Amino acid sequence: TGVRVSADCTSALWKRLAVTLSYNNPGATAKLDARDIDIVQSKTVLADLAGGALPAADVLENLKGTISSVSFSIRIPRITEPADNVTISGRGNFQDIELTVPDVNLAVHKLAGGFELDNDGIAFADVSARLGKSRIQDGAVRLAPARNFAPTLMSAEFRLDLSDVPGWLHLIPDPYAREEIALIKDPRGTATGRFELRAEGDSYSTEIAVRNLELQSSYRSFPPTFELRQGTCSYRDDVLSFDNFSAKLGSSTLPDFSLFFSIQDGPDDFTASAKGATVDFVDLRMVLDSFDESKELIENITHAEGRAKIGSLAFEGPLAEPEKWTLAVDAQLDDVSVAAEELDG
């Protein structure tokens, strides 16, 4: 024998709600379909129905907006069996959601997308949002109950307005990297690419692939013309890497350069490489003069001009101890002249 009960209703919480309960011995199924659900007004009601705190309650607390549509199905194979055998599934869409994250002082606007849920977690897809003047799209997020609904995957296409970046510096956990990026003053331009954060055991790996970067800014005492273009930035196993970037610095060009920093207890070690670069000695002197560590190496040089055409360049060592760097270079010098003060001894 079986029993089926259906009901439709409207309220201040939702524009339309349809509920169907089916019982066919020994199992039962409950289905819910709703449209235009007000998140703020619904949270208290859902918490009461759940008999306490909701999953991911910290996230829900800072949400407001409307869930366009949602559909849930709860299947109980045998109503006399433990709740662990209950199968839950659902899907829905949302738009114009506002999310604030007070712990990191972050506000997300115009959040939209779709989601599916089951016993293994919640998956969001086609997510788009605005953060200041910047925008993300084609986003995906996976939340796992086994990790207390912490994300196991976050990815998105992004278009950043680089003037927003100073307001996000507090999100960078490493103090050295945060302080160094803070030296980029008045950044202007845009960056497009893809971001991915993936859980790996108890930690996360992060990769940012920048396809197009147009940056104008003031940085230390670098030459005024400072442009960066496409490349891949990643953070994995305490190594921060900038791979296959291209840049223009004053009259110098670096069509293919890479940097790798080890930041376990601070950026103690680094490696750098470049191919096909043209380095103007005036620009090089300004760069070396921007860092206290390298400034000491050139303090007796009073004049430098000319260019070096570099086939390949590689150097590595402790970042704060340039006297310990190892250097390998294959280059041709073009009309170079260097003058220095008389050295002691």
Side-chain angles (χ1 to χ4, degrees), residues 76-106:
I76 308 173
R78 297 180 65 89
I79 60 175
T80 58
E81 290 181 352
D84 289 344
N85 292 318
V86 172
T87 301
I88 301 174
S89 62
R91 62 178 55 199
N93 296 283
F94 53 92
Q95 61 184 7
D96 292 333
I97 301 294
E98 304 291 314
L99 170 62
T100 57
V101 189
D103 290 346
V104 294
N105 190 29
L106 184 68

Side-chain angles (χ1 to χ4, degrees), residues 83-158:
D84 289 344
N85 292 318
V86 172
T87 301
I88 301 174
S89 62
R91 62 178 55 199
N93 296 283
F94 53 92
Q95 61 184 7
D96 292 333
I97 301 294
E98 304 291 314
L99 170 62
T100 57
V101 189
D103 290 346
V104 294
N105 190 29
L106 184 68
V108 181
H109 305 283
K110 299 291 184 182
L111 184 62
F115 67 89
E116 294 187 1
L117 65 86
D118 54 32
N119 287 42
D120 295 326
I122 307 173
F124 296 87
D126 298 324
V127 176
S128 62
R130 289 192 175 276
L131 296 87
K133 301 175 185 176
S134 303
R135 180 175 178 82
I136 63 171
Q137 60 187 25
D138 296 332
V141 180
R142 181 79 188 186
L143 307 178
R147 298 174 66 93
N148 197 25
F149 289 93
T152 58
L153 172 69
M154 296 179 65
S155 64
E157 296 285 324
F158 62 80

